Every structure is written in structure tokens, then in C-alpha cells.
């Protein structure tokens, strides 16, 4: 069996390495020649995947290419490309459709086409199936078409590609069977479901469940703050309930390339059926306004020292969207920086994972991470802990004489302000 993996990012690359690890020949396809060149040279560009991992796969028949005509050689194609939002906050499936359109000229009878990218329920039937049928392919007859949502959690020490159960839906029962036969080489537990729509929707439920529960604890934090109640203690107390309660942690907002994005894939499709998913959309609004709420807490803290944001020097700790990673996509910390700057603050940041942050689409500061020392902190009027990397010296921050606005419940010093 020879598998083609399309999109060699944090989803496609681990999957390609896993198939290679079990002795399956894998060709990785990507439109980025630099990624392809690095992989074929045994170099990794994904955190927690080493060059040795790549070299082991190369020795096991893995290779990467930008030449989509090589699709003709593979028995199965697995699409793992991004499904972002466009500038109107609408689903952008162009990476998926471009990939399918690049594969189709070489698609042949008996091949399996599988989509893994997170998307709205119906995508496989409405966008992929007609493209196959236009070329004379009938899923379940002379080819197979399946959907299997990715559940990669890069760097999670407890779960690997092989050990995370994988949901799988087929356009027909035969498609499902062929999809199972493909994935069972590499994945320990498969979860077959009745069709591709169930599989597509299950992924959205997983991630929207997370987004709305984070929105819940963020809103509870706002209420608790006004009442002078420590929300973290409230959550710890509630979490002692041994059943029916899953603790989430309030924070400065909702970052990343999945959790803030995925709800829009459902709400957009629901509108097509005339359904207004108010609850999901309101949760999104609560999360979206958290950076502003944090900035107001900064203003309050400075005001108590007869200072204003305008003209103050403010250091933000942690620019990544969550701790111990380097990804700043949709990071609330970046939004906080921009809002502070818009209010006249002189801003800096310190993040060991993000050495520099150049001007981007909506963000107009071009900074490099500052070294965090006793002295460097003294030169600021206020410090904001936005992302609690384990690398920060919390004992030192605890003793810091400066105002520290803590959005991650990591500092309880006398100058700490809970936000
Ligand atoms: N966040 C909170 N409070 C929480 C949890 C997260 O404020 O209790 C914030 C984070 O700070 C971050 C955002 O939410 O800004 C997203 O965090 P995340 O932990 O959900 O991290 P992601 O975006 O890497 O989510 C991925 C997802 N994995 C897949 O889609 C395959 C998600 O489904 C996983 O649950 C999550 O990893 C995980 O558990 O690590």
C-alpha cells in the first residue's frame, strides 16, 4: 500500500511519519518547496518532531514532493490542509478544493480519497463527491471517499498519532470498509460512524464544546471579579465534584488555529438551514472581548497608582496563544499588545518561544522579545502575564515590585492583580 499525504503541517507530517513507521510507503505532497526540501534533507520544521524522526521515515520509504503527478502512484490520498476563515470570517475551503483539483487529473480507479481537515458538515458530499463524479468516479463502486477528522495534539506527551482514537465516516459502507483497511495500519482504535456528515460534525462538537466552556468560565470570571471572588478557587472547588463537571481555566481570550475558528464553520452552515446558533455565537463574543476586559484591568491597576495606560511602559509576558509553544495565531496576547499601544502605551514583550514579532495584517508593532531580568522589569510601569510559559521565573515575578496583571493565575504576590 502506498499512501499520499497532502499538506505536511502539524497534522499531515505526524500522520506521514506514523504510516512510514509501520512500513507503509508514503509520499508527502506540499505546495511549499522549502518544506519539501527540508524534509527530504531530514530536517524538521515542526516542534517536537526531530530530524531523526524524519530520517527514520526517509529510510522507511517516505519522501516529500511538490509534484502532484506523483499522485498517480499512490493507492490512497489523505488531505490534511488548513481550513481557515477568510477576511469576512467565512469558511475558506480553497486549500481543500485546490488540493482535490490538483489530485484529480491523476486519480485512478480503486484509489481512496480521504479528507481530514476540519470543516462544515456536508463538505465531503457537497464539494468532494461531485468533483470525483464529474471525472467518472463513483464512490463505493470504482473508488472510495471518506472523512476522518484530525485529532493531532502536537507535543501531547500522553497521546500519539497511533493512540488517539480516530473517527471515520464513508460515503458508502464499502468506502468506510476501505477507509478502515487504510487507517488500521497506523491507528490503534478506529471509530466508524454511519456517514461523513456524522464524522464532520463530531469534530466540530469536540472543539465547539471547548470554545463555549472557555467562554463560560471567562464570563464567570468577569462576574466573580466584580463580586471580589477568586474565580480560580471557585473552579477548583467545583472541580471536586467527581461527576458531571469538567474544569476549564479562564484566560485572556481564545487563541490558536482551531478553537476560535471551528465554531464559525458550524454557524455558517447552520445559517444555510435558517438556524441562528445564538449560544455558540455569544460564547464567541465573550471570548473575543476578553482582551479588552484585560486591558481595562490594566487601566484600573495603573489608575490606582495615579498612572494611565497612555504614556506608561508596559511589558507583556508571553505572546504565543498558549503556554510552551511558539504559535501566535489568533493569540489574545497580541490583541492585548495592540490595544495597549492604541491607548498610548509604550509596549514590549518577552517570550522565549517568539524571538520577534513583525508587523502583521492587523497588528502594527514590530518588536523583538526582551530579556526578562530583575533590572529589565524595573524599567516598566506595569507587567501583564498573558501566556504562562513554564520558562518564566515565577518566584522572581512573585517578588516583583511592579504591578503585575496576571491573566493565568500564576502569581499571587502583593502587587499582583488578577485579570
Ligand atoms: N484556553 C483557555 N482555557 C482553557 C483551555 C484553553 O483559556 O481551559 C485557551 C488557550 O489559552 C488558547 C485557546 O484556549 O488560547 C485554545 O487552547 P487549546 O488548549 O484548545 O489548544 P489548541 O488550540 O491547540 O487546541 C487543540 C485542539 N486539538 C485538535 O483540534 C486536534 C483541541 O481539540 C484540543 O482539545 C486541545 O488542542 C488540547 O486539549 O490540547
Amino acid at each position: 500500500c502506498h499512501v499520499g499525504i497532502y499538506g505536511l503541517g502539524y497534522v499531515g507530517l505526524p500522520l506521514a511519519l506514523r504510516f512510514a513507521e509501520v512500513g507503509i510507503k508514503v509520499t508527502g505532497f506540499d505546495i511549499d518547496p522549502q518544506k519539501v526540501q527540508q524534509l527530504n534533507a531530514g530536517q524538521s520544521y515542526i516542534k517536537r518532531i526531530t530530524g531523526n524522526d524524519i530520517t527514520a521515515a526517509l529510510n522507511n520509504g517516505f519522501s516529500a514532493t511538490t509534484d502532484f503527478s506523483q499522485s498517480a502512484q499512490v493507492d490512497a490520498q489523505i488531505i490534511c490542509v488548513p481550513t481557515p476563515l477568510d477576511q469576512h470570517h467565512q469558511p475558506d475551503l480553497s486549500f481543500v478544493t485546490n488540493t482535490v483539483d490538483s489530485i484529480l487529473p491523476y486519480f485512478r480507479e480503486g484509489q481512496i480519497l480521504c479528507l481530514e481537515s476540519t470543516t462544515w458538515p456536508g463538505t465531503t458530499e457537497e464539494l468532494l463527491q461531485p468533483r470525483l463524479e464529474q471525472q467518472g468516479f463513483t464512490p463505493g463502486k470504482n473508488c472510495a471517499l471518506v472523512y476522518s477528522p484530525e485529532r493531532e495534539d502536537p507535543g501531547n506527551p500522553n497521546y500519539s498519532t497511533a493512540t488517539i482514537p480516530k473517527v471515520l465516516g464513508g460515503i458508502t459502507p464499502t468506502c468506510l470498509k476501505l477507509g478502515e483497511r487504510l487507517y488500521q495500519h497506523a491507528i490503534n482504535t478506529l471509530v466508524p460512524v454511519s456517514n461523513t456528515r456524522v464524522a464532520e460534525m463530531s469534530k466540530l462538537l469536540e472543539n465547539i464544546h471547548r470554545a463555549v466552556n472557555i467562554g463560560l468560565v471567562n464570563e464567570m470570571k468577569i462576574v466573580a471579579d466584580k463580586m471580589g471572588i477568586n474565580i480560580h478557587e471557585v473552579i477548583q472547588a467545583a472541580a471536586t465534584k467527581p461527576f458531571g463537571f469538567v474544569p476549564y481555566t479562564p484566560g485572556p481570550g481564545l487563541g490558536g488555529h482551531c478553537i476560535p475558528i471551528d465554531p464559525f464553520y458550524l454557524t455558517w452552515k447552520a445559517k444555510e438551514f435558517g438556524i441562528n446558533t445564538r449560544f455558540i455565537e455569544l460564547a464567541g463574543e465573550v471570548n473575543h472581548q476578553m482582551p479588552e476586559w484585560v486591558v481595562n484591568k490594566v487601566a484600573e491597576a495603573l489608575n490606582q497608582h495615579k498612572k494611565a495606560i497612555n504614556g506608561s511602559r508596559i511589558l507583556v509576558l508571553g505572546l504565543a496563544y498558549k503556554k510552551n509553544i511558539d504559535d501566535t495565531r489568533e493569540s489574545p496576547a497580541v490583541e492585548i499588545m495592540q490595544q495597549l499601544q492604541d491607548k498610548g502605551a509604550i509596549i514590549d514583550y518577552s517570550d522565549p518561544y517568539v524571538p520577534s514579532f513583525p508587523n502583521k495584517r492587523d497588528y502594527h508593532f514590530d518588536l523583538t522579545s526582551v530579556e526578562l531580568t530583575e533590572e529589565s522589569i524595573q524599567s516598566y510601569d506595569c507587567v501583564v502575564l498573558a501566556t504562562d510559559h513554564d520558562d518564566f521565573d515565577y518566584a522572581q515575578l512573585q517578588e516583583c515590585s511592579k504591578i503585575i496583571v496576571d491573566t493565568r493565575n500564576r502569581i499571587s504576590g502583593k502587587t499582583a492583580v488578577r485579570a
Side-chain angles (χ1 to χ4, degrees), residues 85-100:
L85 296 177
D86 65 20
Q87 69 273 34
H88 308 295
H89 257 70
Q90 309 270 322
D92 172 4
L93 283 166
S94 60
F95 292 97
V96 171
T97 51
N98 291 344
T99 302
V100 175

Side-chain angles (χ1 to χ4, degrees), residues 194-260:
S194 346
N195 55 52
T196 55
R197 291 187 313 285
V198 169
E200 289 159 341
M201 189 88 149
S202 69
K203 171 67 181 179
L204 291 179
L205 174 59
E206 285 169 21
N207 281 8
I208 294 172
H209 168 266
R210 198 164 174 79
V212 300
N213 276 289
I214 293 166
L216 168 66
V217 289
N218 280 337
E219 184 154 79
M220 293 287 278
K221 169 172 88 167
I222 293 172
V223 175
D225 178 74
K226 271 283 177 266
M227 296 176 172
I229 297 170
N230 178 341
I231 184 65
H232 302 288
E233 195 181 353
V234 167
I235 292 166
Q236 279 154 16
T240 57
K241 182 179 176 189
F243 46 82
F245 179 80
V246 176
Y248 284 83
T249 316
L254 200 58
H257 41 281
C258 309
I259 307 303

Side-chain angles (χ1 to χ4, degrees), residues 96-118:
V96 171
T97 51
N98 291 344
T99 302
V100 175
D101 293 342
S102 304
I103 290 174
L104 274 180
Y106 313 101
F107 198 76
R108 50 184 175 70
E109 297 217 347
Q111 284 186 323
I112 303 174
L113 181 59
C114 180
L115 177 61
E116 291 215 354
S117 311
T118 304

Side-chain angles (χ1 to χ4, degrees), residues 3-7 11-12 15 19 27 29 74 76-81 99 103 112-117 146 148 166 182-183:
V3 176
I5 309 260
Y6 298 77
V11 175
L15 187 62
F19 272 109
T27 301
F29 295 82
V74 304
Q77 282 105 350
I78 304 178
I79 300 177
C80 305
V81 297
T99 302
I103 290 174
I112 303 174
L113 181 59
C114 180
L115 177 61
E116 291 215 354
S117 311
V146 297
S148 179
K166 204 150 187 354
L182 164 65
Y183 277 106

